[in-house]
Structures are given as C-alpha cells and as structure tokens.
Amino acid sequence: MSDAIERPAGGAPPWGYASAPESTDVVRLEDRYGLFIGGEFVEPKSGRWFPTISPSTEETLADVAEADATDVARAVDAARDATPAWQALAPAERAKYVFRIARQLQERAREFAVLETMNGGKPIKESRDVDVPLAAAHFFYYAGWADKLEYAFPGRGTPGPVGVAGQIIPWNFPLLMAAWKLAPALAAGNTAVLKPAETTPLTALLLAQVMQEAEIPHGVVNIVTGAGETGAALVDADVDKIAFTGSTEVGKAIQRSTAGSGKRLTLELGGKAANVVFEDAPLDQAVEGVINGIFFNQGHVCCAGSRLLVQEPIFDVLLDKLKDRLQTLRVGDPLDKNTDVGAINSKAQLTKIAELVESGVEEGAEIYQPECDLPERGFWFRPTLFTGVSQSHRIAREEIFGPVLSILTFRTVDEAVEKANNTPYGLSAGIWTEKGSRILHMASRLRAGVVWANTFNRFDPTSPFGGYKESGFGREGGLHGLEPYLTFDGGPR
Ligand code: NAI
Ligand code: MG
C-alpha cells in the first residue's frame, strides 16, 4: 500500500466496502422438516417441533421435528434393517454411492453454502470456500477407500464394518461435521443415525435430500433432529458405535453412559490451542495466521488458536500489527461476500462469550476491541484481544469458543513448551519460526493432536485430526479415521 494514502486515526482505510450480498434465491425452505428415517421424511412420534432461526436476523427459517427416544429407536431399527444388504454390497458398488454424494454436494454447492450461512451465521466466503468443498472432499476421499480396505490395514486381517453408528455433531461446522462422520462410516460398510445440533439442523436435512437423490439404500443414513435429550437417547439406543463432537462436559457424560456397554466410542471435544510465535518468524505471515487462527468462523472452532504465545522481543511490534489488522476485519451480515466475522451461532453462546470476556476484565487482563458497528438484530461479538493475561486467568484456561484471543509472552523455547502444554486440552497447536529444527523440536514436545507450522487451521481429508487429554480420543480423517468404523477378522467390535 502506498504511503501516500492517508489513513484516519485508528488505522481504518479511508474507503468503505459496498455491500455485496449473496442471493438466497437458490435456497428453497420447507415450512417444516420431519425426521429422515428409512429413506423418507416422517412425522415425529413425539409430536413435537421446534423453530430453527438465523442467528444474524433472529428470523425463524423453518420448524424442525424433535425426536424422542421412540423416534430415535425407530431410526436405529431402520439402520439395523438396512445393514445386511449394505454390507453384502460389493465394496466398489458402495463406493459409487459415496462418490454420488460427493458429486451432488459439488453440484448443489451454492445452495449448501447459502443455507449453512443462513442457519449458522458463518460468513458466506467461509461456507462457500471451506465448509462445502471440504465436505465434498471427505466423501470423495473415503469413497476411494471403500474397495481398498484390505490394503489399507496390512497384516490386520479381513476388515469388516462395525454395524450401526450413532453420530452426534455440533453447530460450528454442521455440514462438514456430518461429512466427517458419515463418509468413513459408509465407506467402511456401516449404517448411520446422525443427530445434528439443535441450532443448525438445516444443511443436514438438505443432505438427507441428497441421500434420496443419490438413491442411497433406505435406512443406510438416518437423520434425527433435536437437542441434548435426543442425543442422549441415541447414545443409549441399540447402536454399535458412538462418534461425538462437542463439549468436553457432554463427552464425559457420554463416556460414562457407554462404559461397559461394549459400544465403541470416539470423542472429539474442546481445545485451547497455543499459537506460538518466535522472534524469527515471518511477522506479517504470522499475523495473518494468528488472525485466521482465532477469528475464522467467529472463533467457534475446537482447534482455534485461542492462546497466542509471543516471544518477548517481538511482543510490541506483533501487538501493533495485530491491532491494525483487527481494525480491518469486517463484522456483520454473513451473507455479504466481504464479511470476515459473521454472527455468533446462538444467544446462549453469545452469553457464554460475554461472561468469559467479563471475567478477563475482572481478573485484570487488558482488553482491546476495534471500533465497528454491529447490526441491531442478531447475535454479535466484536473481535477481541486480551494482553496482560496470566496462566491462571479463566480466559487462558477455558474454551471461549468465540472471537477472543488471549495473548501471553515467553522468553525461551522451554518456557513456550511449558506454557503451551499447561492446559487440560490437547487438540492443536501452531508454531511460527523460520527455523526448521525448532519446528521439529517443538512439534515433538507439544501435547496436541495436530501441530501446524507457519500456517493454521489447515484441513485435509487425508490428514488425521483429534486430541489428547480432555480434547478426546480417536481420530477422524485419513486412514486413522476409518479404523473406528472397522473390525478385523470378525473380531470384537
Ligand atoms: P454440546 O456438547 O452440548 O453440543 C454438541 C452436540 O451434542 C449437539 O448436537 C447437542 O445436541 C448434543 N448433546 C448435548 N447434550 C447431550 C447429551 N447429554 N447426550 C448426547 N448428546 C448431547 O455443546 P454446546 O452446549 O452447544 O456448546 C457448549 C460449549 O461446548 C461451547 O461453548 C464450546 O466451548 C464447546 N463446543 C465444542 C465443540 C467442538 O467442536 N469441540 C462444538 C460445540 C461446542
Ligand atoms: Mg450443551
């Protein structure tokens, strides 16, 4: 940028952005959506429905069925009934179905992206460029494995499916989490009952329509909507495996209730990742990585880089750069193609974020928020930085799951490792340095399932993802992600 351009105080550029709203015409909403069981949409036996809203306008988009234990049992029965024929299918035939889902997602990509943004509040540029393409990529990737399972795990015996998988997913990446769960399960010959989060059921229900178009045999995929009680009913139902992504608190409850049941379990829970910037790091690149690490998807990301650890000599210059960059983030209408930070997913999540930010101020950390106008309706939170954070502060220990970055400093490599690992979580971490040997040294000492170097929040279907400690266990993605859905030589599930 030329120095000749004058910037007003505060660093905001002198020009503004014209609004560039994505059209919602491509989305055709039903007034209400039943449960997807046995290949068709059915009325809930519970007789109960609940509204699902847009968090950016607070308008009701549709009513959605609330499944009770009877409805869940019905979905599990449909999955069980579909199991023998699905398992008997030649693996290459099964692969064709999974490929079809991937191609349908690509064909209807715009519709999925717009609906994801309407129901969840994330910026359209993210749902369009990240969520939907990655969801399709997961189906493509696992479709490729369906007829190669014997080669995937050499020496392990003959691979076979586990049976019926109960899958419970959160609201931060609704379609992508559905893909992470369904793609490996189906490719390995399992059938599934999926429960989307209560605030974001709509793209999963659109995915149910894709299942119909792709002519997935009835009952192979079932989708039951509802809140925690519906999830708990699925955990207690006659399923062979539970895959859960969500809060550590609920993950622990699920682990308790599946203990001794013989049900397989994988848990992908919360995080409090350290993003560690060394003094030799390429600073402008690091700033982009730090910003992306915490403000991507409003910080509703389990692997978000929510703790920034900065080496002391570069603290002042990095902080200035971060504050400048924060000023340029565009917060608002998620359907606007220029928006960087969209709506907070729900009122409850907004309350949680606000409460934790308040605790940061009360405990003595220094808060920085850029000036920006927030829309009147909907749920919004300003991008926020905290400096003067100590390890004991709640904002350094607890998952905020919002656009809030806690900044701490360190002097030595050992101190960086010590501080990064000083957390009950262990999902992800980032390292920024020019020195390759330091990357390897750090990566082997950080207790995190994923460690990024000179980048952050990169996802690929071929790469396993998952945590240590209170971030859960089991891996999703890559070959590792197939294993929880397989038995070997008809052995124990
Ligand atoms: P949650 O863990 O309650 O919800 C996740 C999913 O679990 C939803 O589908 C929900 O309906 C279901 N669920 C809730 N209670 C259940 C139960 N007893 N048995 C079975 N399923 C159940 O998460 P919530 O309340 O939406 O968010 C609270 C906090 O959890 C967030 O502020 C964030 O810190 C963390 N979180 C982490 C996520 C991650 O990706 N690791 C995703 C969502 C939330
Ligand atoms: Mg909850």
Side-chain angles (χ1 to χ4, degrees):
M1 193 184 295
S2 158
D3 289 336
I5 297 171
E6 267 192 46
R7 286 169 160 246
W15 56 81
Y17 281 83
S19 73
E22 177 72 54
S23 164
T24 58
D25 288 354
V26 67
V27 170
R28 264 174 304 281
L29 285 169
E30 317 270 340
D31 291 337
R32 62 184 215 173
Y33 292 84
L35 306 168
F36 185 66
I37 298 178
E40 49 183 31
F41 285 92
V42 299
E43 299 272 307
K45 296 266 192 254
S46 71
R48 287 196 300 272
W49 303 78
F50 64 97
T52 186
I53 67 163
S54 154
S56 60
T57 63
E58 297 178 58
E59 277 160 9
T60 296
L61 298 172
D63 284 333
V64 174
E66 183 188 325
D68 65 11
T70 310
D71 293 306
V72 169
R74 210 170 139 209
V76 172
D77 286 347
R80 185 73 63 197
D81 291 347
T83 305
W86 182 242
Q87 294 182 357
L89 210 60
E93 292 304 309
R94 218 161 53 219
K96 286 184 194 169
Y97 285 109
V98 185
F99 273 120
R100 266 193 219 166
I101 300 168
R103 284 198 299 268
Q104 284 290 329
L105 276 178
Q106 287 186 319
E107 260 176 46
R108 300 176 72 169
R110 199 161 148 249
E111 187 182 355
F112 271 99
V114 173
L115 184 59
E116 194 76 310
T117 286
M118 289 168 73
N119 201 193
K122 67 173 64 199
I124 185 70
K125 71 175 177 194
E126 291 180 9
S127 41
R128 181 194 62 199
D129 298 347
V130 182
D131 296 68
V132 177
L134 259 182
H138 273 265
F139 283 106
F140 276 122
Y141 172 74
Y142 281 113
W145 277 121
D147 61 348
K148 303 174 195 68
L149 297 174
E150 280 183 51
Y151 308 101
F153 300 95
R156 295 281 298 274
T158 308
V162 172
V164 178
Q167 307 181 313
I168 301 167
I169 57 172
W171 40 264
N172 50 342
F173 295 91
L175 177 69
L176 184 59
M177 289 302 105
W180 279 28
K181 298 279 181 285
L182 289 172
L186 300 184
N190 301 275
T191 58
V193 178
L194 177 85
K195 194 203 81 68
E198 54 271 35
T199 58
T200 53
L202 292 180
T203 46
L205 294 165
L206 190 59
L207 188 63
Q209 292 176 15
V210 163
M211 298 295 161
Q212 289 179 320
E213 279 167 23
E215 295 177 5
I216 304 298
H218 292 176
V220 169
V221 174
N222 306 276
I223 298 179
V224 291
T225 42
E229 272 181 40
T230 309
L234 183 54
V235 171
D236 292 339
D238 177 28
V239 294
D240 302 305
K241 177 191 160 47
I242 289 289
F244 172 78
T245 299
S247 62
T248 295
E249 179 197 359
V250 173
K252 285 179 180 174
I254 292 176
Q255 190 169 13
R256 276 194 294 272
S257 57
T258 53
S261 69
K263 290 173 192 168
R264 279 197 179 188
L265 179 64
T266 45
L267 297 174
E268 203 267 273
L269 311 174
K272 191 76 188 175
N275 207 355
V276 186
V277 184
F278 287 94
E279 60 180 328
D280 66 340
L283 280 195
D284 290 322
Q285 220 174 300
V287 166
E288 287 312 302
V290 169
I291 294 284
N292 166 277
I294 186 62
F295 300 116
F296 173 61
N297 200 26
Q298 296 74 243
H300 302 329
V301 183
C302 47
C303 53
S306 52
R307 283 185 300 149
L308 175 62
L309 302 187
V310 186
Q311 201 161 18
E312 275 185 11
I314 54 162
F315 174 73
D316 290 335
V317 52
L318 191 72
L319 184 62
D320 280 351
K321 282 176 184 283
L322 282 173
K323 285 181 175 174
D324 273 359
R325 185 66 178 88
L326 227 61
Q327 292 279 357
T328 66
L329 289 178
R330 295 173 297 260
V331 185
D333 181 6
L335 280 164
D336 191 310
K337 287 170 241 171
N338 289 324
T339 292
D340 298 307
V341 179
I344 299 303
N345 183 266
S346 66
K347 197 169 196 167
Q349 189 58 31
L350 181 59
T351 307
K352 177 185 163 179
I353 296 167
E355 198 255 322
L356 272 160
V357 165
E358 212 174 296
S359 83
V361 174
E362 274 169 16
E363 290 184 329
E366 193 180 326
I367 189 171
Y368 172 81
Q369 293 175 320
E371 292 148 31
C372 59
D373 296 328
L374 299 179
E376 262 169 33
R377 298 204 65 186
F379 314 130
W380 310 95
F381 203 84
R382 281 194 175 80
T384 302
L385 302 182
F386 273 109
T387 51
V389 179
S390 72
Q391 293 271 43
S392 61
H393 288 162
R394 284 183 67 199
I395 54 170
R397 290 186 289 115
E398 296 179 30
E399 184 178 52
I400 301 175
F401 227 61
V404 183
L405 180 65
S406 300
I407 308 179
L408 298 96
T409 59
F410 67 92
R411 291 181 186 177
T412 64
V413 172
D414 285 344
E415 190 187 349
V417 171
E418 184 85 15
K419 281 187 166 160
N421 286 340
N422 186 356
T423 166
Y425 295 110
L427 194 53
S428 67
I431 307 164
W432 297 82
T433 173
E434 202 122 81
K435 216 172 162 187
S437 58
R438 184 180 287 150
I439 291 173
L440 297 174
H441 179 73
M442 288 289 294
S444 63
R445 294 169 74 193
L446 292 175
R447 291 275 288 154
V450 181
V451 181
W452 286 291
N454 294 327
T455 188
F456 208 90
N457 275 341
R458 288 255 166 209
F459 303 98
D460 190 285
T462 66
S463 177
F465 182 91
Y468 291 107
K469 301 192 280 184
E470 295 209 355
S471 293
F473 51 80
R475 294 293 179 265
E476 295 184 297
L479 277 181
H480 299 69
L482 274 173
E483 227 178 333
Y485 291 100
L486 288 171
T487 60
F488 293 94
D489 281 342
R493 293 197 304 235

